[in-house]
Every structure is written in structure tokens, then in C-alpha cells.
Amino acid sequence: MTPPHDPSSPTGPAERRQAFRLLFLCLMATGIGNNMLFAILPPLARGLAVPEYWVGAIYTVSAVLFMTMTPIWGALSDRRGRKPFIVFGLSAFACSTLIFAAAAWAGEEGWVPPLAAIFAMALARTLFGGLGSATNPSAQAYVADRTSPSERTEALAGLTAAFGLGAVIGPTLAATLVELVGVPVFMVIVSATVFAGAAAVWFKLPEQSPPKQQNRPINPFKQFAFGADPRIFAFVVYGCLTWIVQSLSLSTLAFFIMDSLGLDESEGLQMSAIALAAGAGALIVAQLIVIPALKASPRILMSLGAFLTVGGFALMIAAPNYAGIVTAYLLISFAFGLSRSGFTGGASIAVEPEEQGRAAGLTTATAGLGFILGPVGGLFMYNQLGHVVPYYVAAVLSLVALALAWLHPQIRRVQNFVEIKPEP
């Protein structure tokens, strides 16, 4: 178990607050860029007359590399320090967004065939998955280095809420600005913003602490083998289930809204952007307001999140209209905010200080696995088996996650370790 935060750390409270705010803003910018795609891609694919499964393939290609590389970046941050990999990941994300913008522009103007444009977009997302994935585990480990066990779940919830805030802003901006300036110009603006964030981190983020582990292995097989460590295995499995469910709902939502309401591409962009932004807002409320107020253990957050997710998908299946769909997605997103903070904080508390990068890499990699299986599987079921079938599957997976969170002994052990009270 992680001991209390070392008071001898050269980063003082004021510096720590400033650093966390800077990381929050940078992750919010990447959240804008990443989550706008869930509103932009389905209508863009319909406009290019590309089948839905190609959209799932774009998500999946990126997710494979994201899952493979995040444990390596986390281990390297144990070895070399956090800041270099935060900056590297932000820069790679900005470059991938520029390439994606160029591919979208070429496709819309008819300079390349639709499938060629989609292929170039997939390559851009591959760059994000392989290299841009360095940011998240390094930023999580940075926060873990500077927090005690009893405050870590709340601190990590605040950090991951930045990505959620970007998820609110991204679809909303997409719905507003795409009509004014077009998809490519909007994505160039996002890229420039993330580049500015990378520069700010390089010049402003304090990191006087030496790396914890100079000889950390970076073999990906050894990093994934760490996921079988009894201390974190249950948290990793729960994270995989949670991200599969979340990615399934994200990738099918815009299509579900368009098909349920009989909307065209332009109307679908507007209505799905509103729903995505509302869901991201619910996630932020969970992470920035509810979690600090509850002061709950990772086990309680994981159990409550899985339980509410089941209810959200039940409502989605029964939703009679747009308001019902949005309400269901609000509940699913709120629950995801609780679940994600619970398993991320629990895994961090369960390991030693010199293992924070590895643990952050693995918990971040669960998102990659989710986006490998969720979009392709969800969209396949959506097209071949029926529009609500993916949501039945998601409800069953959430029930499995609920049982794991409530019954697994290691998750119970972490609950007993954390002091559920504010630090003096």
C-alpha cells in the first residue's frame, strides 16, 4: 500500500495547486479535440457515404495502439520523470489533429476518394493512439506523486474531470463552429490550442522531484503482466468493463439519435452534440461536485457507478423520445464519472510510490481496450441485431462490474485502508 505523501517533496502546496490547474487545462484541451469526433464523425461518414463500421474502425485502430503504449509511457515516466512525457503526448495529439483536419478537408472537397479520406483519418488517430497516449498516464502519476492515499481519489477525479469538461465543450463547439468555419478549420484551432498547452507545461510545470525508478522495464509484455498483480487485478478488470460500456454508448449514440428520430446529417450533428455535451456535463458534476462531497471509498464509487449504469441503459432501451434518450445518457455519464474515479484511485492507492506510473499506464490502457471492443462490437450489434441490442449487452456487463466492485476482497481491502475523512 502507498504510504502517506512525503512531506519532504520539493513541490510545495502553492506550486502543487498551480501545477494541477495547468494539467487540468491541458487535459481539457485534449478532451475538446478527442470528444468532438463523436459528434463530427458519424455525420461526416454519412456525408461521404461511408458505412458506419468504418467509423468504428477509426476508433479501434487508435485504441489498439493506445492500449499497447500507455503502460509503456507510464513506465517510462517512472524512469525519466513525468513532465517530458506530458509535453510529448500533447504535441503528438496536436499533430494528429492537424493530419485529421487535412484528411477531412481532402475528403469534403473531393480531392481523394471517401475511403482514402477515412484511411488518412485512421492514420491520424493512430498517431494519437501511439504517441499522444503519453499524456494521460504521466499526468495521473504526477498527481499521485503529490497526494496522500486519502486525498488521491478526489485529486484524480478532478484531473480526469478536465477531460470531461473538454467533452462538454468539444461537441458544443463542434455543433456551433463547424457550421461557420467547417470541420478542418475547427480542428486546426483545436490543434493550436493543444500546442499552446504543451508549451505552457514545458515552461511552467514544476518537477523538481527525481524519477522514482531508474531501471523500470519498458517491455510491453512485462507491463501488461503487471495487470495480473493481485493488488490491482480487480481494478483493471473493472476498468475494462467500464470502458467497454462507455465506448459502446459513445460510438452508437449519434446513430441511435439519427435513426430513432429520423434526422439527416446536419440535424444529427446538432442533436447528438447536445446529448454528448449534456452527458459530459453530468460526468463533471459527478467528479467535481459529488465525489468531493461524498468522500467515498473507491469501492463505494465503483459499486454506485455500476448500479446507476444499469439503470441508465434500462432507460435508454425504453426511451420514447429525444428527451428520454438524453436523460438516459445523462445517467450513464454521471455513473461513469463515479466508476472511473473509483477504479483509477483504487489502483493508485493499492501500489507503492515507485509503481505509480505503471499503475496509471494500466488503468489508462483500459480505455484503449474499451475502444477496441466497444465501437466495433457495438456498431456491429447495432446494424446486424437491432438498435437496442448493444444496450442490453452494456447492462449485463455493468451488472458483472457491480458484483466485482462489491464482492472482490482486494477492493474491500483498499476501502479499509483509506481514511474517509479530509486531510487536516
Side-chain angles (χ1 to χ4, degrees):
M1 290 291 183
T2 309
H5 174 62
D6 182 4
S8 66
S9 171
T11 304
E15 275 189 315
R16 188 174 68 159
R17 285 193 296 271
Q18 179 183 356
F20 288 4
R21 290 188 189 118
L22 178 56
L23 290 178
F24 185 96
L25 292 174
C26 289
L27 290 183
M28 182 180 71
T30 61
I32 291 172
N34 193 63
N35 285 276
M36 69 179 181
L37 294 180
F38 295 109
I40 288 174
L41 263 180
L44 183 61
R46 289 274 171 94
L48 293 173
V50 173
E52 288 89 344
Y53 58 78
W54 283 106
V55 174
I58 289 177
Y59 298 143
T60 300
V61 168
S62 173
V64 169
L65 278 174
F66 189 91
M67 182 187 72
T68 303
M69 293 302 297
T70 45
I72 296 175
W73 296 127
L76 282 170
S77 76
D78 286 337
R79 204 168 168 182
R80 303 288 185 184
R82 316 302 185 192
K83 184 163 77 169
F85 295 99
I86 297 172
V87 173
F88 179 79
L90 289 171
S91 302
F93 180 92
C95 289
S96 72
T97 304
L98 278 179
I99 296 171
F100 198 103
W105 189 17
E108 287 183 337
E109 295 296 324
W111 295 338
V112 297
L115 282 182
I118 289 292
F119 183 71
M121 293 177 198
L123 287 178
R125 292 297 293 174
T126 297
L127 177 62
F128 162 70
L131 304 182
S133 54
T135 299
N136 280 34
S138 304
Q140 285 185 30
Y142 185 95
V143 170
D145 289 343
R146 290 158 177 79
T147 50
S148 65
S150 59
E151 65 185 352
R152 189 164 308 151
T153 299
E154 182 178 332
L156 289 173
L159 184 69
T160 55
F163 203 79
L165 183 57
V168 173
I169 298 172
T172 305
L173 280 178
T176 303
L177 295 182
V178 164
E179 293 292 327
L180 297 175
V181 301
V183 171
V185 174
F186 175 63
M187 298 187 80
V188 169
I189 294 170
V190 171
S191 176
T193 303
V194 176
F195 266 127
V201 169
W202 181 255
F203 290 108
K204 297 293 186 180
L205 188 73
E207 185 170 59
Q208 295 84 16
S209 307
K212 303 289 185 185
Q213 178 59 263
Q214 297 291 345
N215 61 347
R216 171 72 66 220
I218 59 172
N219 184 314
F221 297 104
K222 291 184 179 180
Q223 298 310 319
F224 282 113
F226 183 60
D229 187 304
R231 295 171 297 169
I232 65 170
F233 177 73
F235 295 104
V236 172
V237 172
Y238 180 95
C240 291
L241 292 171
T242 299
W243 272 110
I244 289 171
V245 167
Q246 177 68 3
S247 66
L248 182 153
S249 65
L250 274 171
S251 60
T252 59
L253 181 66
F255 292 117
F256 187 69
I257 289 173
M258 285 191 287
D259 292 333
S260 297
L261 304 178
L263 305 177
D264 61 22
E265 291 85 357
S266 177
E267 293 171 326
L269 171 62
Q270 299 294 324
M271 302 298 276
S272 61
I274 292 170
L276 287 165
L283 187 149
I284 292 169
V285 169
Q287 293 184 313
L288 292 185
I289 299 176
V290 175
I291 289 175
L294 285 178
K295 302 293 182 184
S297 70
R299 180 187 178 221
I300 295 299
L301 293 177
M302 292 162 69
S303 301
L304 181 59
F307 176 78
L308 293 177
T309 302
V310 175
F313 280 108
L315 180 58
M316 183 75 80
I317 292 166
N321 50 33
Y322 180 68
I325 294 172
V326 173
T327 302
Y329 190 67
L330 278 170
L331 184 56
I332 292 165
S333 300
F334 177 84
F336 177 69
L338 302 180
S339 299
R340 181 182 182 185
S341 300
F343 81 80
T344 301
S348 177
I349 293 167
V351 301
E352 302 299 326
E354 65 271 15
E355 298 172 308
Q356 289 300 323
R358 298 180 82 187
L362 279 170
T363 54
T364 304
T366 60
L369 180 64
F371 278 94
I372 291 169
L373 300 178
V376 171
L379 289 171
F380 174 82
M381 289 185 287
Y382 185 90
N383 284 311
Q384 301 298 319
L385 303 177
H387 294 175
V388 297
V389 171
Y391 305 138
Y392 281 109
V393 173
V396 171
L397 293 177
S398 298
L399 285 172
V400 175
L402 174 60
L404 181 68
W406 192 250
L407 300 174
H408 198 279
Q410 178 58 24
I411 296 176
R412 297 172 68 94
R413 182 169 175 246
V414 168
Q415 179 187 26
N416 294 333
F417 177 76
V418 178
E419 295 180 359
I420 313 300
K421 62 181 181 180
E423 289 291 304

